[in-house]
Amino acid sequence: MGRIVVIGAGLGAMAAAARLAVAGHAVTVYERTSTYGGAVGRFEREGFAFDTGPGLLHLPAVYRDLFVKTGKKPLEECVGLSQVDPAARHVFADGTRVDLPNASRAGTVAALDAALGAGAGERWGDFLVRAREAWDRTRRPLLEEPQPADPKALAREPYPALKAGLLRRPTRTLAQVGERELRDPRLVALLDSYAEAYGFPASAAPASAAVLPYMEQTFGSWYVAGGMRALADAVYERCRERRVEFVFGAAVADVLTEGGRAVGVRLESGEPVEADHVVAGAPVPALYREHVVAWERADEEWPRFQRHATGRLTVLLALRGAREKGAVHRTVVHGDGDRPTVTVLRPDDPALRPDAEHESVTVSARLDLVPEEDGAELADALVEAAAAAVPRLAERLLWREVRTPEDVRAATGSAEVPGPALADARGEWLPAPNLSPVPGLYFAGGWSHPGGGLAHAGMSGALVAGLIVEGAEFRGSQ
C-alpha cells in the first residue's frame, strides 16, 4: 500500500485519512496550526465554551457511515447525538414568530398555518414537493459521486419549471421561487434564510438552492453534546485508532512534482516528504493564491465557486442568569432592509457554561467581508438583533468575544466560508473537483466537491478515499 500525505487536519481531510488508513495506507497529516478540526473550533474563557464554526449537524448519516467503515464503535457510542426540537424558531421582521418542528413536514405545515394564516403551510408544502424533485435529480451526482471531468452534465437547472397555461416558465433563482410560489413575504424570508445561512443571497442563488431547506426539514438538525468540537475530537480519535500520524505546527510550503505528477510535499522548514498521493485538505483557494502548485492559466482554472463564498461574523456572549423556560436551541431573527438576518444558538448543554446560573450564546451572520475596524459596529448590530431571541440580553451580558473573518482566516487559511455545491444552468455553483489538474494530488474539504458544510466535507473525504483506493473506475457510494 502507499504513503499518503494529507495537508491540513480539517474534518474532510481527517475523514479521508481515516478511510485511507483502514484501506492499508500509511497516512501522515501535516497541520500548520497546533490543533485539528479546521473551521470546527472552540473558544473557552472563564468556564464558558463556544463553537466557533458550525453549531448544528445535518445529514448525520455521513458521519455514521464514516464510523461504521473505520472501526467497531458507531458514531453514537463516540458522541452524544440528539435531534434539536424545534428545529428553529423564526422571528420575522413584522414580529411574527413560528417554531418549526424537526424533520416533520406535517408539523411544519400546521405550524406555518397557525402562525402565518391558513394556506401558508400548504404553499410551503407544495414548494417542498418541487424541492424534493430537485433533490432526487442531483443527490447522487452532487453528493455521492466524483465530479465528472466535464461538469457540463451538472450544469442544468434541476428545479422543475412551473406551468403557465400551455407554457412552462423556467425558474432560475431562489428569489423567483419565493416570488412565484410562496408570495407571503414571511414565507419568502423563511426560504431566503436557508440560502443566507450558507452565504447565498436569494437573488443570486440558483433555484436548485431549494434543496437546502428540503435537506434540513427532511433529515433534521442534530446537536453533538459538548458542542460540535466534540465531533472533531471523535474523528481525530478515530484517525489515531487507525494509526494515522499527525504532525502539528508543520505548514506545507510546496507540493513536489516529478514528471507532471505529485510525489510529495516540502514543509516550510525545507524538509521534503515523499508520498505516493497527496490529499490537500487545506482550503483550495490558499493553494491557488499562494502558488503551492504552479497552475497554468491560474485565473481561469480556479473554480468559479470561490465567487460565492462569504465571510462570517460571530459574537460569543457570556450571560449571567439561567436559561428561561421555553427557550429554544436555534432562533433565526430575520433582517429588514439593511439589518442582516442573524442566527442565535442557545444550546442547553452543561458542558458549555460554568453552572446552571449562566448561559453561553452564539450569534452569527454571513456578511460580505468587512474592514476590521467595522467589526465592532457590526457586532453591536448582531447583538441588538439577538435581543429578539434572548430576553433581557443587555442586562444579562457579562462579556462578549467577536470573531471576524480574519479570525477565520487564522484558523483555516481562508477568511471566506464556502457553501455546498449546487446545480444550475450555467454550472457556476460547482466547487473544485476532488481530482486536481496534477495527477496524484486530490482535494478534500469544504472548498472541493461537494462543497462546504460539515456533511459535505465528510462526503468529500469519502470521495477522495474512493478515488485513491479504487482509482479512476470509482463511481461513488452505492
Side-chain angles (χ1 to χ4, degrees), residues 310-389:
T310 57
R312 174 198 290 272
L313 185 68
T314 302
V315 188
L316 314 177
L317 304 178
L319 305 184
R320 64 169 65 87
R323 194 171 182 266
E324 79 279 3
K325 184 178 180 181
V328 300
H329 189 113
R330 175 174 53 162
T331 300
V332 179
V333 182
H334 293 264
D336 183 16
D338 295 331
R339 191 182 67 190
T341 294
V342 171
T343 299
V344 182
L345 297 180
R346 305 177 64 191
D348 187 11
D349 189 339
L352 304 184
R353 60 192 182 222
D355 52 50
E357 296 304 313
H358 293 84
E359 183 181 7
S360 299
V361 174
T362 301
V363 184
S364 64
R366 295 293 181 102
L367 304 168
D368 292 334
L369 300 187
V370 296
E372 192 72 22
E373 59 268 20
D374 293 341
E377 182 177 346
L378 284 168
D380 290 341
L382 265 62
V383 174
E384 181 180 353

Side-chain angles (χ1 to χ4, degrees), residues 8-9 31-42 52 249 251 282-283 286 289-290 312 369 372 401-417 447:
E31 167 57 48
R32 66 182 183 86
T33 71
S34 60
T35 189
Y36 52 84
V40 186
R42 169 68 58 89
T52 57
R289 291 174 187 152
E290 298 167 16
R312 174 198 290 272
L369 300 187
E372 192 72 22
E401 177 78 15
V402 179
R403 309 284 293 182
T404 69
E406 285 306 311
D407 295 313
V408 177
R409 187 194 301 277
T412 68
S414 175
E416 301 96 340
V417 179
W447 286 100

Side-chain angles (χ1 to χ4, degrees), residues 60-412:
V62 173
Y63 288 93
R64 290 192 180 108
D65 182 70
L66 171 65
F67 278 74
V68 166
K69 299 289 177 58
T70 60
K72 294 181 179 179
K73 286 187 177 181
L75 176 65
E76 277 81 357
E77 288 188 21
C78 300
V79 298
L81 194 62
S82 60
Q83 281 191 304
V84 176
D85 204 6
R89 171 174 292 163
H90 288 264
V91 181
F92 297 103
D94 67 354
T96 306
R97 295 176 175 234
V98 59
D99 288 356
L100 299 184
N102 201 336
S104 171
R105 179 181 168 186
T108 296
V109 168
L112 290 173
D113 274 341
L116 308 185
E122 182 180 2
R123 289 198 299 277
W124 184 260
D126 290 344
F127 153 72
L128 287 180
V129 170
R130 288 184 284 273
R132 176 177 180 174
E133 188 172 334
W135 169 264
D136 289 341
R137 290 174 176 176
T138 60
R139 177 180 59 85
R140 280 199 60 80
L142 274 188
L143 299 181
E144 300 175 4
E145 299 174 351
Q147 192 179 112
D150 183 359
K152 290 181 181 178
L154 297 174
R156 301 188 183 96
E157 176 54 65
Y159 191 80
L162 286 176
K163 290 184 178 179
L166 298 176
L167 303 176
R168 294 178 69 86
R169 297 187 299 166
T171 305
R172 293 190 168 86
T173 68
L174 197 66
Q176 288 178 329
V177 173
E179 177 186 0
R180 296 175 179 179
E181 302 179 29
L182 301 178
R183 299 188 293 280
D184 187 311
R186 295 164 298 184
L187 286 179
V188 172
L190 174 62
L191 174 61
D192 292 354
S193 69
Y194 287 95
E196 290 169 0
Y198 292 98
F200 300 156
S203 59
S208 64
V211 301
L212 301 177
Y214 172 81
M215 180 178 70
E216 181 175 325
Q217 293 194 9
T218 300
F219 303 106
S221 299
W222 300 74
Y223 178 69
V224 176
M228 208 54 61
R229 179 66 182 182
L231 177 63
D233 294 340
V235 176
Y236 172 72
E237 290 302 326
R238 178 54 54 91
C239 286
R240 294 297 303 271
E241 291 170 7
R242 303 272 67 87
R243 300 182 185 274
V244 174
E245 182 180 354
F246 286 80
V247 183
F248 295 104
V252 171
D254 198 4
V255 174
L256 303 177
T257 60
E258 184 176 303
R261 177 183 175 82
V263 294
V265 299
R266 180 179 291 111
L267 305 182
E268 278 193 349
S269 64
E271 176 188 356
V273 179
E274 295 182 353
D276 298 293
H277 303 277
V278 176
V279 177
V284 173
L287 291 180
Y288 279 79
R289 291 174 187 152
E290 298 167 16
H291 305 290
V292 173
V293 178
W295 311 102
E296 296 181 3
R297 298 186 303 119
D299 290 342
E300 297 177 30
E301 294 295 334
W302 164 240
R304 302 158 298 276
F305 193 62
Q306 182 189 10
R307 294 188 302 217
H308 303 297
T310 57
R312 174 198 290 272
L313 185 68
T314 302
V315 188
L316 314 177
L317 304 178
L319 305 184
R320 64 169 65 87
R323 194 171 182 266
E324 79 279 3
K325 184 178 180 181
V328 300
H329 189 113
R330 175 174 53 162
T331 300
V332 179
V333 182
H334 293 264
D336 183 16
D338 295 331
R339 191 182 67 190
T341 294
V342 171
T343 299
V344 182
L345 297 180
R346 305 177 64 191
D348 187 11
D349 189 339
L352 304 184
R353 60 192 182 222
D355 52 50
E357 296 304 313
H358 293 84
E359 183 181 7
S360 299
V361 174
T362 301
V363 184
S364 64
R366 295 293 181 102
L367 304 168
D368 292 334
L369 300 187
V370 296
E372 192 72 22
E373 59 268 20
D374 293 341
E377 182 177 346
L378 284 168
D380 290 341
L382 265 62
V383 174
E384 181 180 353
V390 186
R392 302 181 297 107
L393 174 58
E395 63 186 79
R396 295 180 60 197
L397 182 61
L398 291 171
W399 50 263
R400 77 182 194 184
E401 177 78 15
V402 179
R403 309 284 293 182
T404 69
E406 285 306 311
D407 295 313
V408 177
R409 187 194 301 277
T412 68

